[in-house]
Amino acid sequence: MSRIIPLRCRCGQVQREARAARIYARVSCHCRDCQAYARWLGTPGLLDACGGTDIVAMAPSGLRFTAGSGQIACGTLSGRVYRWYAACCRTPLGNTARNPRVHYVGLCTACLPDAAAVDAAVGPAGSCVVHSASANAPVRATPLAFLWGGLCIAKGVLGARLRGQRESPFFDAATGRPMRESERIGVEN
């Protein structure tokens, strides 16, 4: 049986469970969109000292909401990525592609209360760095870890597509539409 990692928003209204076996990789993303999103949320502790967000990439079918689904909201900066968050306390819940056939969700580890379980499942934070050029301070690029992480994510996404797997707690199974309308996030850089 796969280990279950509990997840919750900062105030505890939104609760979820993630199956550790469905995790693809862990990355530290320093892209400008992640930084702008963290500033827009205004929730402390989302970015590290260099402006990176620790993200666990996984299959959305391995994620299940157990409470507070009415508090889930959606925003987008560029229109390419949906950024899901808890409206009650502005905790990030996950990033998905607009297309639900892309079987991927990126979970910000700031809302993972069991950091040891995440470390055990996919290794420590910072071992795979992406978008290091956008960091606020010098960050060592990790090209081999980036390649390996990208391959793990691609394997998971392509495998799910071949199996016809599309379950996601963020999209309606019948229509493929997002569970909430997306709000355009206006951010000043």
Side-chain angles (χ1 to χ4, degrees):
M1 174 125 187
S2 174
R3 177 163 183 179
I4 301 295
I5 301 171
L7 306 121
R8 66 183 182 309
C9 67
R10 291 189 187 274
C11 73
Q13 288 188 53
V14 179
Q15 297 183 19
R16 306 169 289 163
E17 297 175 339
R19 291 191 351 235
R22 303 306 312 263
I23 294 174
Y24 301 146
R26 184 177 192 173
V27 300
S28 180
C29 183
H30 293 81
C31 79
R32 296 195 191 286
D33 278 1
C34 282
Q35 292 174 15
Y37 180 56
R39 285 192 306 273
W40 179 80
L41 285 172
T43 305
L46 299 181
L47 299 174
D48 65 21
C50 298
T53 303
D54 187 29
I55 296 173
V56 172
M58 68 175 292
S61 58
L63 183 64
R64 182 174 75 94
F65 286 96
T66 57
S69 61
Q71 291 293 329
I72 298 170
C74 181
T76 184
L77 289 151
S78 63
R80 295 178 303 204
V81 175
Y82 286 145
R83 295 181 181 267
W84 302 90
Y85 64 97
C88 48
C89 60
R90 300 179 69 82
T91 300
L93 300 175
N95 301 324
T96 64
R98 289 183 51 164
N99 184 344
R101 293 187 333 201
V102 177
H103 205 64
Y104 169 91
V105 62
L107 305 177
C108 177
T109 62
C111 63
L112 304 177
D114 191 353
V118 176
D119 290 349
V122 288
S127 58
C128 179
V129 174
V130 296
H131 301 290
S132 59
S134 299
N136 298 336
V139 175
R140 185 180 59 85
T142 58
L144 291 177
F146 173 72
L147 177 63
W148 179 251
L151 289 172
C152 290
I153 293 169
K155 176 185 166 199
V157 170
L158 290 174
R161 180 163 289 188
L162 292 173
R163 290 186 302 276
Q165 203 168 24
R166 296 183 183 169
E167 310 87 51
S168 172
F170 299 106
F171 294 91
D172 180 88
T175 65
R177 298 203 32 89
M179 67 180 292
R180 299 283 185 274
E181 284 300 315
S182 171
E183 168 190 354
R184 182 64 107 168
I185 298 171
V187 179
E188 297 187 24
N189 288 327

